[in-house]
């Protein structure tokens, strides 16, 4: 007994510990959520978009509140009515009855708490419904700020804006009204059962008349809502997938649409029968109404459209569907921006005249030889300098070099926190805070050793003389980029100076003086960030001062997504030097799946595999309406609307006027806007079929196209690491009929299941023609080699095969770069670079360039040499490699000596890297850079 008495407090102490732990967890959970919200508010204030946050939150709250009140009010009101309509004997105490139904005792026990139970049920369901409905805030805001498209659909003659803005919201509202009434009906039936007004054991007679009348009213309102849904469903047929293409087909127009109208009428009649039953209170009327509705739903909604489709349409499908196919073609081309594609005939002659070289000097000196994935490897090994730097991506742009517009590849040298040698809190968040500068090189040029011709290199940055004006940076530090993780943050302006870049045996240090970052002036802010990041160092560290700033959302894509969640983003943010600043440019899209008659496209299947953009789901309308420019130093974001005619962006601008800037982009910035790859991917995929505008030809698919597949060019995939359809290629070329070069995004087409090339599409990027699409259509009477045929021709060439065998000896790996298709005058020149990489993981070197013109296949050690081989003329001058200030003309002997010394230094650097001696590796790479600079000057 004594032992039991002593042991009794143990369970109570355990319960207390459980309660305390539970309270701590609750405080942490709710405290973390509150801290995240509070710090996000601070971040929105920092970037100047607090109105975006509060507008979206107000919309979510208002929408959730409306739905919550409706659902809770309906449930509570009907529960009150059910309680008033309960049978009088339901709670009578049957003390003299020897056998009492257990349910009667249960009802009797619940009676004192009924008022609280109905309130709890109504509020609980209403709260959950409102929470779920708040997710439709975008639909709600677009409806509130709807605009017109100025185009009507061909079936109902309604403005397209009705389908994009109004119809989705009306369907949203009706679906929630249906849900509210259905839940109310279920809860009311349950209440009547618990109150004894519905007794299943009594069969049809077990339903009290009051309960029957009440349920009939709810069923009547449900029928009216269903009638409205049927009526709106007629308009949704404009997105039907029943026919050959998206849109209302013959069967939809002549069978399904009348059926929906009939079902709407039947639903109204059924609602009348339900409501009439308030007076008669019989089960026969509700059962008759339900039976009529089910019968007509099966016959009119299912059987009749099937009969029409099978016996009237399928035997003569083209004749029946032709007008609807024509509607689809017109709508799809308009919705995807293909209505005004300029189609030009292009001869694609078998041979290229010899004088074409002299006539097209500027075009030929901009042929792209370096692939971004290959060049990324080169940059990473030659220009990373330290392990804590990285090159996330290499992008293509155009800059003025030595007075001429040249195609340039460039990449920002960003911070790589994962590669820090010592990952302490101070290192990750106080010292290593930013990347530094960028690397740039000419697209078509290489040194004698096969390495890039750098325009910008090293840290703090050596700029070639002829590129000084284009790459003159006021602020090279990169605090915001595409390599940062979504949760990476830095604290700047602390008592710990930041590491800037290596200098000799030490490092240069600096302090941040930009506008970005959330001030840490108050202890509340520091505590909030400590809770948010689960890191007490925000409070404990004495290095953080009241003047310190916390940099959040440093990944530029995450940053834009948080500021504008209603926009879809391109997968490739790219850096640009404009007005002396290093900025990131992200293309943003508006899209909808509700453009009538336009063919819906699965966007996630069109954008490249593994892409990190936010284009997803289905859409049948898309516009690249916004260019977002993010400053790499202070993180400021400017949302430039570049398509004022897009009704969707006009609506969003009405919602968030403070988000979009009214300032016109500077000429220097506009010069670096380029047509986005994701948009071109979508448009070119749609254009494969929708270049055909005649319904009969479209139906027969006689002229269907496809994009060549890279997987059929295996060596190219090995070199670049990419697979799938041939990606769009940026080129700086002169289009037929034009007098000036321009920056375009291109893609070839082949006939479906064929290898010959049928067309070549180009999207123009220069400001005066931005967004215009041009298609060069090749003759259909003869064959023009496509990428796969050219690749086969190259591999079958005996001399090239022998050269490949020699280059692949001694452990080297040979890989082809991307095949460049170059329209020049009235012919096509194919250019394919060849890279050699040491099997031990060396630097890819550009060793050969292969040219194909007609049946001629030649190879040279450089592009100029290959041209000489192709035309049998003296070596043309295609521009000199960049001059970084060295002295040339020192003779081939000295050049060979420097190249040999560079090879030795490179091998030592690789050994140091393998041994983990990163300090020696960095010093050797720096020495290698100096040698290459000397070699480049001599070449």
């Amino acid at each position: 007994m004594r032992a039991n008495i002593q042991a009794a407090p143990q369970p109570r102490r355990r319960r207390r510990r459980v309660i305390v732990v539970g309270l701590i967890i609750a405080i942490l959970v709710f405290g973390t959520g509150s801290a995240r919200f509070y710090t996000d508010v601070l971040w929105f204030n920092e970037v100047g978009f607090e109105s975006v946050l509060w507008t979206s939150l107000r919309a979510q709250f208002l929408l959730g509140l409306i739905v919550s009140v409706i659902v809770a009010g309906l449930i509570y009101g009907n529960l009150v009515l059910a309680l008033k309509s309960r049978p009088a004997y339901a709670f009578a105490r049957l003390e003299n009855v020897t056998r009492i139904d257990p349910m009667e005792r249960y009802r009797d026990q619940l009676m004192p708490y009924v008022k609280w139970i109905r309130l709890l049920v109504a509020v609980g369901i209403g709260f959950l419904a409102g929470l779920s409905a708040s997710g439709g805030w975008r639909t709600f805001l677009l409806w509130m700020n709807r605009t017109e498209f100025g185009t009507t659909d061909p079936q109902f003659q309604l403005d397209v804006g009705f389908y994009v803005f109004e119809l989705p919201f009306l369907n949203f509202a009706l679906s929630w009204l249906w849900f509210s009434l259905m839940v109310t009906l279920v809860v009311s039936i349950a209440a009547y059962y618990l109150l004894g007004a519905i007794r299943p054991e009594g069969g049809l007679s077990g339903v009290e008349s009051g309960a029957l009348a009440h349920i009939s009213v709810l069923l009547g309102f449900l029928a009216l809502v269903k009638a409205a849904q049927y009526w709106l469903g007629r308009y949704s047929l404009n997105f039907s997938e029943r026919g050959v293409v998206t849109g209302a087909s013959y069967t939809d127009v002549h069978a399904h649409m009348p059926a929906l109208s009939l079902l709407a009428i039947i639903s109204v009649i059924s609602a009348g029968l339900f409501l009439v039953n308030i007076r008669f209170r019989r089960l026969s009327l509700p059962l008759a109404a339900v039976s009529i509705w089910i019968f007509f739903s099966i016959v009119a909604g299912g059987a009749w459209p099937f009969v029409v489709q099978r016996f009237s349409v399928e035997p003569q499908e083209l004749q029946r569907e032709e007008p609807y196919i024509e509607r689809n073609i017109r709508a799809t081309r308009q919705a995807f921006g293909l209505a005004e594609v300029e189609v030009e005939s292009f001869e694609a002659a078998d041979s290229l005249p010899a004088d074409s070289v002299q006539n097209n000097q500027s075009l030929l000196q901009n042929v792209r030889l370096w692939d971004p994935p290959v060049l990324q490897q080169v940059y990473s090994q030659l220009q990373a300098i330290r392990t804590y730097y990285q090159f996330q991506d290499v992008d293509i742009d155009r800059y003025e070099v030595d007075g001429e517009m040249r195609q340039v590849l460039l990449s920002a040298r960003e911070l790589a926190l994962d590669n820090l040698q010592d990952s302490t809190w101070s290192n990750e968040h106080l010292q290593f805070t930013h990347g530094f500068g960028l690397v740039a090189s000419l697209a078509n040029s290489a040194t004698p050793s096969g390495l890039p011709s750098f325009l910008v290199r090293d840290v703090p940055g050596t700029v070639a003389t002829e590129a000084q004006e284009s790459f003159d940076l006021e602020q090279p530090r990169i605090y915001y980029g595409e390599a940062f993780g979504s949760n990476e943050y830095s604290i700047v302006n602390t008592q710990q100076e930041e590491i800037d870049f290596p200098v000799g045996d030490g490092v240069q240090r600096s302090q941040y003086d930009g506008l970005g970052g959330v001030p840490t002036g108050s202890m509340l802010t520091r505590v909030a960030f400590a809770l948010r990041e689960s890191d007490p160092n925000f409070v404990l560290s004495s290095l953080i001062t009241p003047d310190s700033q916390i940099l959040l959302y440093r990944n530029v894509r995450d940053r834009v997504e948080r500021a504008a969640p209603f926009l879809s983003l391109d997968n490739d943010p790219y850096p640009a030097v404009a007005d002396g600043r290093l900025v990131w440019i992200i293309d943003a899209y508006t899209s909808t799946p509700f453009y009538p008659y336009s063919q819906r496209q699965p966007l996630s299947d069109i954008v490249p595999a593994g892409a990190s953009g936010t284009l997803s789901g289905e859409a049948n309308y898309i516009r690249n309406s916004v260019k977002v420019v993010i400053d790499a130093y202070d993180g400021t974001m400017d949302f430039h609307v570049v398509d004022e005619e897009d009704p969707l962006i006009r609506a969003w601008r009405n919602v968030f006027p403070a988000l979009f800037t009214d300032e016109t982009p500077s000429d220097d910035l506009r010069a670096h806007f380029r047509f986005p790859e994701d948009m071109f991917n979508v448009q070119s995929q749609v254009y494969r079929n929708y270049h055909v505008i005649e319904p009969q030809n479209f139906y027969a698919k006689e002229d269907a196209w496809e994009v060549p597949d890279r997987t059929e060019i295996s060596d190219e995939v090995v070199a670049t690491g990419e697979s799938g359809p041939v990606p769009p290629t940026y080129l700086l070329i002169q289009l037929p009929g034009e007098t000036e070069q321009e920056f375009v995004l291109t893609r070839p087409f082949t006939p479906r299941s064929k290898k010959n090339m049928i067309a070549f599409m180009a999207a123009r990027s220069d400001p005066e023609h931005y967004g215009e699409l041009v298609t060069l259509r090749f003759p259909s009477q003869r064959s023009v080699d496509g990428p796969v045929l050219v690749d086969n021709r190259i591999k079958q060439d005996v001399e090239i095969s022998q050269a490949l065998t020699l280059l692949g000896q001694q452990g080297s790996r040979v890989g082809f770069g991307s095949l460049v298709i170059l329209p020049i005058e009235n012919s096509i020149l194919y250019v394919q670079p060849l890279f050699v990489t040491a099997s031990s993981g060396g630097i890819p070197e550009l060793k050969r360039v292969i040219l194909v013109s007609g049946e001629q296949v030649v190879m040279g050690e450089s592009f100029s040499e290959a041209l000489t081989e192709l035309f049998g003329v003296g070596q043309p001058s295609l521009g000199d490699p960049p001059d970084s200030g060295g002295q040339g003309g020192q003779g081939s002997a000295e050049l060979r000596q420097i190249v040999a010394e560079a090879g030795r230094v490179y091998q030592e650097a690789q050994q140091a890297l393998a041994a983990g001696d990163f300090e020696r590796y960095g010093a050797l790479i720096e020495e290698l850079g100096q040698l290459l600079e000397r070699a480049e000057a001599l070449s």
Side-chain angles (χ1 to χ4, degrees), residues 344-349 351-361 363-364 733-738 776 778 822-829 871:
E344 296 184 5
S345 297
F346 191 79
E347 183 180 350
S351 61
L352 191 63
D355 60 0
S356 299
V357 176
Q358 299 302 325
N359 297 337
N360 295 276
Q361 287 285 308
L363 185 153
L364 292 172
I733 63 175
Q734 181 178 318
L735 290 171
E738 300 294 334
L776 304 183
F778 302 149
L822 189 67
I824 177 170
E825 294 191 354
N826 65 342
S827 186
I828 297 288
L829 179 65
F871 295 108

Side-chain angles (χ1 to χ4, degrees), residues 53-65:
L53 173 66
W54 297 121
T55 298
S56 59
L57 287 179
R58 277 197 300 269
Q60 294 176 58
F61 176 78
L62 179 60
L63 191 59
L65 180 64

Side-chain angles (χ1 to χ4, degrees), residues 789-833:
L789 292 177
V790 172
D791 180 70
N792 292 337
R793 191 184 296 275
I794 291 172
K795 292 175 182 176
Q796 292 167 2
D797 187 89
V798 176
E799 294 184 7
I800 292 178
S801 297
Q802 293 174 350
L804 293 178
T805 302
L806 292 174
L807 289 170
Q809 292 179 349
Q810 300 179 350
S812 296
R813 183 161 48 90
V814 181
F816 289 98
S818 296
L819 180 68
V820 175
I821 302 171
L822 189 67
I824 177 170
E825 294 191 354
N826 65 342
S827 186
I828 297 288
L829 179 65
Y830 303 89
V831 183
Q832 186 155 50

Side-chain angles (χ1 to χ4, degrees), residues 293-484:
W293 178 79
I294 292 175
F295 173 78
F296 279 98
S297 294
I298 295 173
V299 174
W304 176 240
F306 172 79
V307 170
V308 172
Q309 179 70 24
R310 179 64 186 87
F311 296 103
S312 179
V313 175
E314 291 185 9
Q316 47 192 347
E317 190 171 47
L318 175 57
Q319 288 70 28
R320 295 294 194 195
E321 300 289 5
E322 183 173 352
Y324 308 105
I325 294 175
E326 185 176 3
R327 292 178 178 182
N328 171 268
I329 293 173
R330 189 182 303 113
T332 302
R333 289 170 62 89
Q334 179 66 37
F336 285 97
L338 300 171
E340 298 180 1
V341 175
E342 182 180 351
V343 180
E344 296 184 5
S345 297
F346 191 79
E347 183 180 350
D350 291 334
S351 61
L352 191 63
D355 60 0
S356 299
V357 176
Q358 299 302 325
N359 297 337
N360 295 276
Q361 287 285 308
S362 59
L363 185 153
L364 292 172
Q365 72 176 359
N366 281 299
V367 174
R368 199 192 82 189
L369 301 178
W370 289 95
D371 283 322
V374 175
L375 198 57
Q376 184 181 13
Q377 300 176 47
V378 179
Y379 284 0
S380 297
Q381 297 195 50
L382 294 182
Q383 287 294 309
I385 309 298
R386 292 290 187 268
T387 58
Y388 50 81
Y389 288 137
Q390 64 177 321
F391 296 98
Q392 179 75 8
D393 185 25
V394 174
D395 293 287
I396 305 169
D397 206 341
R398 66 283 199 201
Y399 287 84
E400 189 172 299
V401 178
D402 201 17
E404 295 183 348
M405 191 60 65
R406 301 294 297 271
Q407 188 168 197
V408 171
L409 288 92
L410 70 164
S411 182
R413 186 183 288 105
E414 298 191 66
L415 189 64
L417 289 176
D418 292 339
N419 296 334
L420 292 182
Q421 298 300 302
D422 190 6
S423 299
T424 65
W425 183 82
S426 177
N427 278 345
E428 288 187 349
H429 302 294
L430 304 185
Q431 291 202 76
F432 293 92
T433 58
H434 58 276
F436 200 97
L438 53 81
V439 176
S441 57
L442 290 174
N444 77 314
S445 183
T447 65
S449 58
L451 296 176
S453 296
F454 289 105
L455 296 171
V456 184
R457 61 192 300 175
D458 303 333
V459 289
T462 301
V463 183
T465 304
E466 58 268 38
Q468 288 283 350
E469 186 174 344
S470 293
F471 292 98
D472 183 19
L473 272 177
E474 298 174 3
Q475 181 52 260
R477 295 169 182 83
I478 303 172
Y479 283 87
Y480 299 89
E482 60 177 328
F484 289 105

